[in-house]
Amino acid sequence: MIIAALSLKGGVGKTSVVLGLAGSAAERGLRVLVVDLDPQANSTASLDPLRTPYTTSDVLYDGREGVAADAIVDSGWGSMVKLVPSERALEHRAQPVGANSALRLRRALSGVADGFDVVLIDCPPSLGELTRNALHAADAALVVTEPSYFAVQGAEQALEAVAVVREHGNPTLRAVGIVANRVRPTLSEHIYRMDEMRAAFGDLVLGGLPDRSAVQQAQGACVPVQRWQSHGATDISRALDSLLVQLVGDHHATVEARPVLTATPSSGEQQ
Amino acid sequence: MTNPAPRPALRKAPDADVHPARAGDSTANIDLRAAAPTRPAVSRKVAAEGRNRAQVSASDTSLAAADLRATGQLAVPAEPEAEKAAAKEPSKKKDKKNKKGKKGKKKNGQGSARADQRIDVRVAVPRLARHLRNSTPTL
């Protein structure tokens, strides 16, 4: 299954969601491939690969059948999570080049995705050539947003983009849902926006991921949040497990009860 | 039954070392020194704008600049004359204001030393980037 995580608004936490799902899937024994399609290369940085001989820039530059296999490297998260890393030069690929330019990633991943249970594509925060490549390559589109006015508007635009690509080139693509990131259920604005999203998008809203500083802490330490020792990490890990089940189904991932940590959370941890 | 054709090996993009801020340039082989024309003395502000426009001209951006392609080098031009003159002027005014004999001028190190200062930066363009025009991927 190839899932493209997209949002037309930046800073909502696409990378955090991608990394969180990757960690959750790996913990359940699923083989994960993360394709970093963002020139900022944040996923690449946090997955901490030892070597990056090729990147998504090379993959899109080449664009031939199956060549993405040469760009796959081991991540620092263990053997279950592999990566096609990014680099800033990926920005050069952000323009259409020739006919069927938006199909380059799909061709390059042809036959490659079969070797993984879950492929997660981290898209840049724009509807450009890179995101178009992701949507043409993916089976499922996960819209990431946050409970704010601008982000909800961005989610609507992202869903429209998914519908356009589905109609014009990738009929297998489906919008699997909208996930709101960094939700604080005690804030009235967040409560209002979550209700607004449910009213507008119905069952597409997959729920919210709580705002926990463990996410940034784990990313900075280049480890999955599932391995971060804090109550906040446990909270967000449970939410990510639940999201993963909604995306890949129960037959692929069974959510097991996580042990409640008794260790004192680190200073500054949000609960 | 014949075996399937082997999968092609991934090719490295030739512009990996080109900063994304230059992605819109028609070529990386620009001789900025040759592109900078001499300009009359104008105010510092106008001279700064002129310098930015002077760095690229239509003829010099053409790929027919074979010498530049061959060497694969970029050079940032010396500060245009107007820029140097404008840079001098405020200092001169300041010197006149505070001048006691020739002390102010010598203190700031102005004069002929500044006129001889130039920036000469050479950037090695990757070999593969010289063939950028001929390496457009076919889909």
Side-chain angles (χ1 to χ4, degrees), chain A residues 167-198:
Chain A
E167 186 177 343
H168 297 281
N170 187 8
T172 62
L173 178 67
R174 58 191 177 92
V176 291
I178 302 171
V179 60
N181 198 19
R182 290 201 290 265
V183 178
R184 297 190 180 192
T186 57
L187 293 184
S188 58
E189 175 67 12
H190 284 205
I191 295 171
Y192 180 84
R193 293 301 171 196
M194 289 300 294
D195 290 341
E196 183 182 54
M197 275 195 286
R198 290 190 187 97

PDB file of all heavy atoms in Angstrom, chain A residues 167-198:
ATOM      1  N   GLU A 167      -9.269  11.499 -11.155  1.00  0.00           N
ATOM      2  CA  GLU A 167     -10.039  11.565 -12.398  1.00  0.00           C
ATOM      3  C   GLU A 167      -9.128  11.638 -13.620  1.00  0.00           C
ATOM      4  O   GLU A 167      -9.476  11.143 -14.696  1.00  0.00           O
ATOM      5  CB  GLU A 167     -10.953  12.796 -12.363  1.00  0.00           C
ATOM      6  CG  GLU A 167     -11.907  12.883 -13.547  1.00  0.00           C
ATOM      7  CD  GLU A 167     -12.836  14.082 -13.438  1.00  0.00           C
ATOM      8  OE1 GLU A 167     -12.964  14.633 -12.322  1.00  0.00           O
ATOM      9  OE2 GLU A 167     -13.421  14.459 -14.460  1.00  0.00           O
ATOM     10  N   HIS A 168      -7.946  12.236 -13.443  1.00  0.00           N
ATOM     11  CA  HIS A 168      -7.088  12.468 -14.608  1.00  0.00           C
ATOM     12  C   HIS A 168      -5.751  11.755 -14.474  1.00  0.00           C
ATOM     13  O   HIS A 168      -4.702  12.389 -14.465  1.00  0.00           O
ATOM     14  CB  HIS A 168      -6.845  13.968 -14.781  1.00  0.00           C
ATOM     15  CG  HIS A 168      -8.089  14.743 -15.054  1.00  0.00           C
ATOM     16  ND1 HIS A 168      -8.685  14.796 -16.290  1.00  0.00           N
ATOM     17  CD2 HIS A 168      -8.854  15.500 -14.234  1.00  0.00           C
ATOM     18  CE1 HIS A 168      -9.774  15.558 -16.228  1.00  0.00           C
ATOM     19  NE2 HIS A 168      -9.903  15.988 -14.994  1.00  0.00           N
ATOM     20  N   GLY A 169      -5.787  10.446 -14.344  1.00  0.00           N
ATOM     21  CA  GLY A 169      -4.510   9.744 -14.419  1.00  0.00           C
ATOM     22  C   GLY A 169      -4.299   8.632 -13.417  1.00  0.00           C
ATOM     23  O   GLY A 169      -3.558   7.693 -13.679  1.00  0.00           O
ATOM     24  N   ASN A 170      -4.932   8.710 -12.241  1.00  0.00           N
ATOM     25  CA  ASN A 170      -4.718   7.647 -11.260  1.00  0.00           C
ATOM     26  C   ASN A 170      -6.047   7.219 -10.648  1.00  0.00           C
ATOM     27  O   ASN A 170      -6.380   7.629  -9.532  1.00  0.00           O
ATOM     28  CB  ASN A 170      -3.748   8.113 -10.166  1.00  0.00           C
ATOM     29  CG  ASN A 170      -3.370   6.989  -9.217  1.00  0.00           C
ATOM     30  OD1 ASN A 170      -3.705   5.827  -9.446  1.00  0.00           O
ATOM     31  ND2 ASN A 170      -2.662   7.338  -8.153  1.00  0.00           N
ATOM     32  N   PRO A 171      -6.809   6.399 -11.343  1.00  0.00           N
ATOM     33  CA  PRO A 171      -8.136   6.014 -10.844  1.00  0.00           C
ATOM     34  C   PRO A 171      -8.084   5.147  -9.593  1.00  0.00           C
ATOM     35  O   PRO A 171      -9.102   4.992  -8.914  1.00  0.00           O
ATOM     36  CB  PRO A 171      -8.739   5.236 -12.024  1.00  0.00           C
ATOM     37  CG  PRO A 171      -7.573   4.771 -12.822  1.00  0.00           C
ATOM     38  CD  PRO A 171      -6.523   5.809 -12.663  1.00  0.00           C
ATOM     39  N   THR A 172      -6.904   4.614  -9.264  1.00  0.00           N
ATOM     40  CA  THR A 172      -6.807   3.781  -8.057  1.00  0.00           C
ATOM     41  C   THR A 172      -6.599   4.627  -6.798  1.00  0.00           C
ATOM     42  O   THR A 172      -6.653   4.107  -5.689  1.00  0.00           O
ATOM     43  CB  THR A 172      -5.642   2.784  -8.173  1.00  0.00           C
ATOM     44  OG1 THR A 172      -4.409   3.511  -8.280  1.00  0.00           O
ATOM     45  CG2 THR A 172      -5.811   1.893  -9.399  1.00  0.00           C
ATOM     46  N   LEU A 173      -6.354   5.906  -6.987  1.00  0.00           N
ATOM     47  CA  LEU A 173      -6.095   6.774  -5.832  1.00  0.00           C
ATOM     48  C   LEU A 173      -7.388   7.045  -5.068  1.00  0.00           C
ATOM     49  O   LEU A 173      -8.427   7.301  -5.670  1.00  0.00           O
ATOM     50  CB  LEU A 173      -5.487   8.099  -6.297  1.00  0.00           C
ATOM     51  CG  LEU A 173      -5.210   9.146  -5.217  1.00  0.00           C
ATOM     52  CD1 LEU A 173      -4.100   8.678  -4.287  1.00  0.00           C
ATOM     53  CD2 LEU A 173      -4.848  10.491  -5.844  1.00  0.00           C
ATOM     54  N   ARG A 174      -7.315   6.958  -3.755  1.00  0.00           N
ATOM     55  CA  ARG A 174      -8.477   7.306  -2.945  1.00  0.00           C
ATOM     56  C   ARG A 174      -8.016   8.116  -1.727  1.00  0.00           C
ATOM     57  O   ARG A 174      -6.929   7.900  -1.209  1.00  0.00           O
ATOM     58  CB  ARG A 174      -9.219   6.045  -2.486  1.00  0.00           C
ATOM     59  CG  ARG A 174      -8.360   5.091  -1.701  1.00  0.00           C
ATOM     60  CD  ARG A 174      -9.041   3.739  -1.501  1.00  0.00           C
ATOM     61  NE  ARG A 174      -8.139   2.832  -0.795  1.00  0.00           N
ATOM     62  CZ  ARG A 174      -8.110   2.680   0.532  1.00  0.00           C
ATOM     63  NH1 ARG A 174      -8.948   3.349   1.297  1.00  0.00           N
ATOM     64  NH2 ARG A 174      -7.256   1.855   1.103  1.00  0.00           N
ATOM     65  N   ALA A 175      -8.886   9.029  -1.325  1.00  0.00           N
ATOM     66  CA  ALA A 175      -8.612   9.807  -0.105  1.00  0.00           C
ATOM     67  C   ALA A 175      -9.022   8.946   1.074  1.00  0.00           C
ATOM     68  O   ALA A 175     -10.200   8.661   1.271  1.00  0.00           O
ATOM     69  CB  ALA A 175      -9.383  11.113  -0.124  1.00  0.00           C
ATOM     70  N   VAL A 176      -8.049   8.527   1.862  1.00  0.00           N
ATOM     71  CA  VAL A 176      -8.357   7.634   2.982  1.00  0.00           C
ATOM     72  C   VAL A 176      -8.781   8.410   4.222  1.00  0.00           C
ATOM     73  O   VAL A 176      -9.353   7.827   5.130  1.00  0.00           O
ATOM     74  CB  VAL A 176      -7.176   6.713   3.331  1.00  0.00           C
ATOM     75  CG1 VAL A 176      -6.951   5.706   2.232  1.00  0.00           C
ATOM     76  CG2 VAL A 176      -5.916   7.517   3.593  1.00  0.00           C
ATOM     77  N   GLY A 177      -8.481   9.680   4.245  1.00  0.00           N
ATOM     78  CA  GLY A 177      -8.963  10.417   5.402  1.00  0.00           C
ATOM     79  C   GLY A 177      -8.173  11.670   5.694  1.00  0.00           C
ATOM     80  O   GLY A 177      -7.190  11.991   5.020  1.00  0.00           O
ATOM     81  N   ILE A 178      -8.640  12.373   6.692  1.00  0.00           N
ATOM     82  CA  ILE A 178      -8.008  13.602   7.183  1.00  0.00           C
ATOM     83  C   ILE A 178      -7.648  13.377   8.646  1.00  0.00           C
ATOM     84  O   ILE A 178      -8.495  12.930   9.434  1.00  0.00           O
ATOM     85  CB  ILE A 178      -8.969  14.795   7.092  1.00  0.00           C
ATOM     86  CG1 ILE A 178      -9.441  14.998   5.652  1.00  0.00           C
ATOM     87  CG2 ILE A 178      -8.316  16.070   7.612  1.00  0.00           C
ATOM     88  CD1 ILE A 178     -10.567  16.014   5.526  1.00  0.00           C
ATOM     89  N   VAL A 179      -6.403  13.659   8.959  1.00  0.00           N
ATOM     90  CA  VAL A 179      -5.999  13.539  10.362  1.00  0.00           C
ATOM     91  C   VAL A 179      -5.545  14.916  10.840  1.00  0.00           C
ATOM     92  O   VAL A 179      -4.785  15.604  10.173  1.00  0.00           O
ATOM     93  CB  VAL A 179      -4.880  12.483  10.540  1.00  0.00           C
ATOM     94  CG1 VAL A 179      -3.634  12.833   9.733  1.00  0.00           C
ATOM     95  CG2 VAL A 179      -4.528  12.337  12.015  1.00  0.00           C
ATOM     96  N   ALA A 180      -6.077  15.319  11.976  1.00  0.00           N
ATOM     97  CA  ALA A 180      -5.702  16.599  12.564  1.00  0.00           C
ATOM     98  C   ALA A 180      -4.556  16.369  13.533  1.00  0.00           C
ATOM     99  O   ALA A 180      -4.634  15.489  14.403  1.00  0.00           O
ATOM    100  CB  ALA A 180      -6.894  17.216  13.286  1.00  0.00           C
ATOM    101  N   ASN A 181      -3.507  17.136  13.373  1.00  0.00           N
ATOM    102  CA  ASN A 181      -2.313  16.959  14.179  1.00  0.00           C
ATOM    103  C   ASN A 181      -2.222  18.041  15.253  1.00  0.00           C
ATOM    104  O   ASN A 181      -2.804  19.116  15.125  1.00  0.00           O
ATOM    105  CB  ASN A 181      -1.081  17.029  13.261  1.00  0.00           C
ATOM    106  CG  ASN A 181       0.150  16.424  13.908  1.00  0.00           C
ATOM    107  OD1 ASN A 181       0.049  15.647  14.859  1.00  0.00           O
ATOM    108  ND2 ASN A 181       1.316  16.796  13.408  1.00  0.00           N
ATOM    109  N   ARG A 182      -1.528  17.708  16.281  1.00  0.00           N
ATOM    110  CA  ARG A 182      -1.260  18.666  17.381  1.00  0.00           C
ATOM    111  C   ARG A 182      -2.559  19.219  17.958  1.00  0.00           C
ATOM    112  O   ARG A 182      -2.725  20.433  18.097  1.00  0.00           O
ATOM    113  CB  ARG A 182      -0.349  19.786  16.895  1.00  0.00           C
ATOM    114  CG  ARG A 182       1.070  19.334  16.618  1.00  0.00           C
ATOM    115  CD  ARG A 182       2.004  20.521  16.649  1.00  0.00           C
ATOM    116  NE  ARG A 182       1.787  21.379  15.499  1.00  0.00           N
ATOM    117  CZ  ARG A 182       2.479  21.313  14.378  1.00  0.00           C
ATOM    118  NH1 ARG A 182       3.423  20.398  14.250  1.00  0.00           N
ATOM    119  NH2 ARG A 182       2.236  22.136  13.382  1.00  0.00           N
ATOM    120  N   VAL A 183      -3.441  18.353  18.291  1.00  0.00           N
ATOM    121  CA  VAL A 183      -4.739  18.763  18.828  1.00  0.00           C
ATOM    122  C   VAL A 183      -4.652  18.928  20.337  1.00  0.00           C
ATOM    123  O   VAL A 183      -4.105  18.080  21.044  1.00  0.00           O
ATOM    124  CB  VAL A 183      -5.835  17.721  18.487  1.00  0.00           C
ATOM    125  CG1 VAL A 183      -7.169  18.144  19.095  1.00  0.00           C
ATOM    126  CG2 VAL A 183      -5.957  17.544  16.986  1.00  0.00           C
ATOM    127  N   ARG A 184      -5.189  20.034  20.806  1.00  0.00           N
ATOM    128  CA  ARG A 184      -5.312  20.267  22.255  1.00  0.00           C
ATOM    129  C   ARG A 184      -6.792  20.295  22.587  1.00  0.00           C
ATOM    130  O   ARG A 184      -7.457  21.303  22.330  1.00  0.00           O
ATOM    131  CB  ARG A 184      -4.650  21.581  22.645  1.00  0.00           C
ATOM    132  CG  ARG A 184      -3.153  21.610  22.393  1.00  0.00           C
ATOM    133  CD  ARG A 184      -2.533  22.839  23.014  1.00  0.00           C
ATOM    134  NE  ARG A 184      -1.103  22.889  22.798  1.00  0.00           N
ATOM    135  CZ  ARG A 184      -0.300  23.733  23.424  1.00  0.00           C
ATOM    136  NH1 ARG A 184      -0.792  24.597  24.292  1.00  0.00           N
ATOM    137  NH2 ARG A 184       0.995  23.727  23.173  1.00  0.00           N
ATOM    138  N   PRO A 185      -7.319  19.227  23.113  1.00  0.00           N
ATOM    139  CA  PRO A 185      -8.770  19.118  23.286  1.00  0.00           C
ATOM    140  C   PRO A 185      -9.354  20.091  24.308  1.00  0.00           C
ATOM    141  O   PRO A 185     -10.581  20.208  24.402  1.00  0.00           O
ATOM    142  CB  PRO A 185      -8.960  17.662  23.746  1.00  0.00           C
ATOM    143  CG  PRO A 185      -7.640  17.243  24.266  1.00  0.00           C
ATOM    144  CD  PRO A 185      -6.614  18.015  23.524  1.00  0.00           C
ATOM    145  N   THR A 186      -8.500  20.780  25.050  1.00  0.00           N
ATOM    146  CA  THR A 186      -9.031  21.736  26.021  1.00  0.00           C
ATOM    147  C   THR A 186      -9.188  23.128  25.428  1.00  0.00           C
ATOM    148  O   THR A 186      -9.804  24.007  26.044  1.00  0.00           O
ATOM    149  CB  THR A 186      -8.109  21.825  27.250  1.00  0.00           C
ATOM    150  OG1 THR A 186      -6.794  22.182  26.810  1.00  0.00           O
ATOM    151  CG2 THR A 186      -8.057  20.481  27.988  1.00  0.00           C
ATOM    152  N   LEU A 187      -8.635  23.365  24.252  1.00  0.00           N
ATOM    153  CA  LEU A 187      -8.739  24.684  23.625  1.00  0.00           C
ATOM    154  C   LEU A 187     -10.067  24.803  22.883  1.00  0.00           C
ATOM    155  O   LEU A 187     -10.415  23.939  22.077  1.00  0.00           O
ATOM    156  CB  LEU A 187      -7.589  24.915  22.649  1.00  0.00           C
ATOM    157  CG  LEU A 187      -6.187  25.043  23.247  1.00  0.00           C
ATOM    158  CD1 LEU A 187      -5.185  25.368  22.144  1.00  0.00           C
ATOM    159  CD2 LEU A 187      -6.143  26.105  24.337  1.00  0.00           C
ATOM    160  N   SER A 188     -10.786  25.864  23.111  1.00  0.00           N
ATOM    161  CA  SER A 188     -12.090  26.033  22.480  1.00  0.00           C
ATOM    162  C   SER A 188     -11.962  26.137  20.960  1.00  0.00           C
ATOM    163  O   SER A 188     -12.818  25.632  20.222  1.00  0.00           O
ATOM    164  CB  SER A 188     -12.789  27.275  23.042  1.00  0.00           C
ATOM    165  OG  SER A 188     -11.986  28.427  22.847  1.00  0.00           O
ATOM    166  N   GLU A 189     -10.895  26.801  20.498  1.00  0.00           N
ATOM    167  CA  GLU A 189     -10.689  26.913  19.051  1.00  0.00           C
ATOM    168  C   GLU A 189     -10.499  25.547  18.428  1.00  0.00           C
ATOM    169  O   GLU A 189     -11.049  25.267  17.356  1.00  0.00           O
ATOM    170  CB  GLU A 189      -9.474  27.808  18.761  1.00  0.00           C
ATOM    171  CG  GLU A 189      -9.087  27.914  17.291  1.00  0.00           C
ATOM    172  CD  GLU A 189     -10.126  28.637  16.445  1.00  0.00           C
ATOM    173  OE1 GLU A 189     -11.056  29.257  17.007  1.00  0.00           O
ATOM    174  OE2 GLU A 189     -10.019  28.557  15.211  1.00  0.00           O
ATOM    175  N   HIS A 190      -9.728  24.681  19.080  1.00  0.00           N
ATOM    176  CA  HIS A 190      -9.502  23.337  18.536  1.00  0.00           C
ATOM    177  C   HIS A 190     -10.789  22.527  18.542  1.00  0.00           C
ATOM    178  O   HIS A 190     -11.061  21.780  17.596  1.00  0.00           O
ATOM    179  CB  HIS A 190      -8.405  22.631  19.352  1.00  0.00           C
ATOM    180  CG  HIS A 190      -7.031  23.135  19.019  1.00  0.00           C
ATOM    181  ND1 HIS A 190      -5.904  22.369  19.200  1.00  0.00           N
ATOM    182  CD2 HIS A 190      -6.602  24.314  18.519  1.00  0.00           C
ATOM    183  CE1 HIS A 190      -4.838  23.063  18.819  1.00  0.00           C
ATOM    184  NE2 HIS A 190      -5.236  24.250  18.414  1.00  0.00           N
ATOM    185  N   ILE A 191     -11.567  22.662  19.599  1.00  0.00           N
ATOM    186  CA  ILE A 191     -12.844  21.937  19.669  1.00  0.00           C
ATOM    187  C   ILE A 191     -13.741  22.392  18.521  1.00  0.00           C
ATOM    188  O   ILE A 191     -14.365  21.581  17.824  1.00  0.00           O
ATOM    189  CB  ILE A 191     -13.527  22.180  21.018  1.00  0.00           C
ATOM    190  CG1 ILE A 191     -12.684  21.591  22.151  1.00  0.00           C
ATOM    191  CG2 ILE A 191     -14.934  21.581  21.034  1.00  0.00           C
ATOM    192  CD1 ILE A 191     -13.180  21.965  23.538  1.00  0.00           C
ATOM    193  N   TYR A 192     -13.769  23.722  18.314  1.00  0.00           N
ATOM    194  CA  TYR A 192     -14.608  24.278  17.248  1.00  0.00           C
ATOM    195  C   TYR A 192     -14.168  23.770  15.881  1.00  0.00           C
ATOM    196  O   TYR A 192     -14.995  23.347  15.063  1.00  0.00           O
ATOM    197  CB  TYR A 192     -14.537  25.805  17.290  1.00  0.00           C
ATOM    198  CG  TYR A 192     -15.375  26.472  16.225  1.00  0.00           C
ATOM    199  CD1 TYR A 192     -16.735  26.697  16.416  1.00  0.00           C
ATOM    200  CD2 TYR A 192     -14.802  26.859  15.011  1.00  0.00           C
ATOM    201  CE1 TYR A 192     -17.501  27.288  15.425  1.00  0.00           C
ATOM    202  CE2 TYR A 192     -15.563  27.454  14.030  1.00  0.00           C
ATOM    203  CZ  TYR A 192     -16.910  27.669  14.241  1.00  0.00           C
ATOM    204  OH  TYR A 192     -17.677  28.254  13.257  1.00  0.00           O
ATOM    205  N   ARG A 193     -12.851  23.790  15.631  1.00  0.00           N
ATOM    206  CA  ARG A 193     -12.372  23.401  14.293  1.00  0.00           C
ATOM    207  C   ARG A 193     -12.556  21.911  14.064  1.00  0.00           C
ATOM    208  O   ARG A 193     -12.821  21.482  12.934  1.00  0.00           O
ATOM    209  CB  ARG A 193     -10.888  23.782  14.135  1.00  0.00           C
ATOM    210  CG  ARG A 193     -10.646  25.282  14.120  1.00  0.00           C
ATOM    211  CD  ARG A 193     -11.377  25.971  13.003  1.00  0.00           C
ATOM    212  NE  ARG A 193     -11.321  27.423  13.122  1.00  0.00           N
ATOM    213  CZ  ARG A 193     -12.109  28.265  12.473  1.00  0.00           C
ATOM    214  NH1 ARG A 193     -13.008  27.809  11.634  1.00  0.00           N
ATOM    215  NH2 ARG A 193     -11.988  29.562  12.641  1.00  0.00           N
ATOM    216  N   MET A 194     -12.399  21.108  15.109  1.00  0.00           N
ATOM    217  CA  MET A 194     -12.608  19.662  14.938  1.00  0.00           C
ATOM    218  C   MET A 194     -14.077  19.389  14.605  1.00  0.00           C
ATOM    219  O   MET A 194     -14.394  18.575  13.725  1.00  0.00           O
ATOM    220  CB  MET A 194     -12.203  18.911  16.211  1.00  0.00           C
ATOM    221  CG  MET A 194     -10.697  18.869  16.468  1.00  0.00           C
ATOM    222  SD  MET A 194      -9.739  18.073  15.148  1.00  0.00           S
ATOM    223  CE  MET A 194     -10.311  16.382  15.236  1.00  0.00           C
ATOM    224  N   ASP A 195     -14.979  20.070  15.304  1.00  0.00           N
ATOM    225  CA  ASP A 195     -16.403  19.913  14.989  1.00  0.00           C
ATOM    226  C   ASP A 195     -16.698  20.384  13.569  1.00  0.00           C
ATOM    227  O   ASP A 195     -17.492  19.766  12.841  1.00  0.00           O
ATOM    228  CB  ASP A 195     -17.258  20.703  15.997  1.00  0.00           C
ATOM    229  CG  ASP A 195     -17.229  20.093  17.384  1.00  0.00           C
ATOM    230  OD1 ASP A 195     -16.863  18.901  17.495  1.00  0.00           O
ATOM    231  OD2 ASP A 195     -17.575  20.803  18.351  1.00  0.00           O
ATOM    232  N   GLU A 196     -16.032  21.466  13.189  1.00  0.00           N
ATOM    233  CA  GLU A 196     -16.223  22.005  11.836  1.00  0.00           C
ATOM    234  C   GLU A 196     -15.783  20.992  10.785  1.00  0.00           C
ATOM    235  O   GLU A 196     -16.455  20.779   9.770  1.00  0.00           O
ATOM    236  CB  GLU A 196     -15.420  23.305  11.707  1.00  0.00           C
ATOM    237  CG  GLU A 196     -15.583  24.022  10.388  1.00  0.00           C
ATOM    238  CD  GLU A 196     -14.712  25.276  10.325  1.00  0.00           C
ATOM    239  OE1 GLU A 196     -13.485  25.145  10.548  1.00  0.00           O
ATOM    240  OE2 GLU A 196     -15.249  26.359  10.068  1.00  0.00           O
ATOM    241  N   MET A 197     -14.646  20.370  11.021  1.00  0.00           N
ATOM    242  CA  MET A 197     -14.144  19.377  10.070  1.00  0.00           C
ATOM    243  C   MET A 197     -15.072  18.180   9.979  1.00  0.00           C
ATOM    244  O   MET A 197     -15.335  17.663   8.882  1.00  0.00           O
ATOM    245  CB  MET A 197     -12.737  18.929  10.500  1.00  0.00           C
ATOM    246  CG  MET A 197     -11.641  19.839  10.001  1.00  0.00           C
ATOM    247  SD  MET A 197     -10.004  19.114  10.137  1.00  0.00           S
ATOM    248  CE  MET A 197      -9.719  19.226  11.874  1.00  0.00           C
ATOM    249  N   ARG A 198     -15.561  17.727  11.114  1.00  0.00           N
ATOM    250  CA  ARG A 198     -16.459  16.558  11.093  1.00  0.00           C
ATOM    251  C   ARG A 198     -17.739  16.899  10.348  1.00  0.00           C
ATOM    252  O   ARG A 198     -18.278  16.066   9.607  1.00  0.00           O
ATOM    253  CB  ARG A 198     -16.772  16.095  12.517  1.00  0.00           C
ATOM    254  CG  ARG A 198     -15.559  15.469  13.209  1.00  0.00           C
ATOM    255  CD  ARG A 198     -15.944  14.800  14.516  1.00  0.00           C
ATOM    256  NE  ARG A 198     -14.739  14.352  15.224  1.00  0.00           N
ATOM    257  CZ  ARG A 198     -14.140  15.033  16.200  1.00  0.00           C
ATOM    258  NH1 ARG A 198     -14.627  16.190  16.600  1.00  0.00           N
ATOM    259  NH2 ARG A 198     -13.043  14.550  16.774  1.00  0.00           N
TER     260      ARG A 198
END
